[in-house]
Amino acid sequence: MIQVIFGLGNPGQDYKNTRHNAGFWYLEALADYVGVDFKFEKKFKAEVAQTGYFGDKVWLVKPQTYVNRSGQSVIPFTQFYRIAANQVLVAYDELDIPPGTAKFKRGGGHGGHNGLRDIIPGLGPDFKRLRIGIGHPGDKHKVTPWVLGRPSENDAISIGRCLDQCVDVTSAMIAGDDEKVMQILHTVDNK
């Protein structure tokens, strides 16, 4: 069972609507859905909320360390609350998935994502991942401005629909019904 969901993103108004903040967007949509507010907790360098909406207590955490330093928040949080990697879900933007699509998986490498690259050495690779598609600019040299840029209006609409779908299957993610989550998310087209 999932005890904590981390949504990756960059803090501050300058980054609020950029593709790299897809993990934040998911957690914000989820917090709205369950009716909780985030509060900054200095010791974890994160905005934190807690909900009992799904039965047991679940933490929602938005690291405020910038994406490439996410481990500076994730590792202290999981260590303090003694949360094992297999009880962690990390939601983040995924270049290799088109906007409007999300994929769910268990474990794996960092796939070039700097947030995961910073988390894995301290947590290990066995956490669950919600990969929120933002699409690829088509050229590896354009990746940084792409992830730090805003999606087009059509892409933003597709991503919004996808986030709604992710919120809808959150209870199954938390309960550990991975097959159900994959069956739903991997067959939906929100374009």
Side-chain angles (χ1 to χ4, degrees), residues 5 7 16 21-38 49 51 53-54 60 62 91 130 132 159-170:
I5 303 172
K16 184 173 175 57
N21 278 31
F24 278 8
W25 299 342
Y26 164 66
L27 274 195
E28 289 159 1
L30 185 58
D32 284 347
Y33 181 78
V34 300
V36 296
D37 295 314
F38 289 95
T51 181
Y53 182 88
F54 301 102
L60 311 179
K62 297 190 305 181
L130 177 61
I132 302 163
I159 293 168
R161 289 182 186 137
C162 175
L163 294 173
D164 289 343
Q165 188 74 43
C166 292
V167 168
D168 288 345
V169 298
T170 297

Side-chain angles (χ1 to χ4, degrees), residues 1 10 18 29 31 34 38 60 68 72 79 97 105 111-112 114 118 121 134 141 147 151 172-173 181 183 191:
M1 180 166 149
N10 286 321
T18 64
V34 300
F38 289 95
L60 311 179
N68 62 346
Q72 293 177 2
Q79 289 175 343
I97 299 175
K105 70 181 253 184
N114 288 330
D118 199 57
I134 61 166
H141 297 25
V147 299
M173 285 190 264
V181 174
Q183 181 182 19
K191 291 187 177 185

Side-chain angles (χ1 to χ4, degrees), residues 75-97:
I75 306 314
F77 192 94
T78 55
Q79 289 175 343
F80 183 84
Y81 288 107
R82 297 186 178 117
I83 299 171
N86 65 359
Q87 298 170 312
V88 172
L89 172 64
V90 177
Y92 59 95
D93 59 298
E94 177 61 64
L95 284 163
D96 295 329
I97 299 175

Side-chain angles (χ1 to χ4, degrees), residues 64-151:
Q64 300 295 295
T65 55
Y66 293 96
V67 171
N68 62 346
R69 297 286 179 251
S70 297
Q72 293 177 2
S73 177
V74 171
I75 306 314
F77 192 94
T78 55
Q79 289 175 343
F80 183 84
Y81 288 107
R82 297 186 178 117
I83 299 171
N86 65 359
Q87 298 170 312
V88 172
L89 172 64
V90 177
Y92 59 95
D93 59 298
E94 177 61 64
L95 284 163
D96 295 329
I97 299 175
T101 305
K103 301 287 183 183
F104 181 80
K105 70 181 253 184
R106 300 172 290 242
H110 58 72
H113 194 283
N114 288 330
L116 299 186
R117 190 187 314 261
D118 199 57
I119 292 169
I120 289 172
L123 185 62
D126 297 330
F127 54 92
K128 296 182 182 181
R129 298 115 190 269
L130 177 61
R131 304 160 63 213
I132 302 163
I134 61 166
H136 198 286
D139 180 339
K140 67 179 182 178
H141 297 25
K142 295 179 181 177
V143 166
T144 299
W146 180 262
V147 299
L148 296 178
R150 295 174 180 227

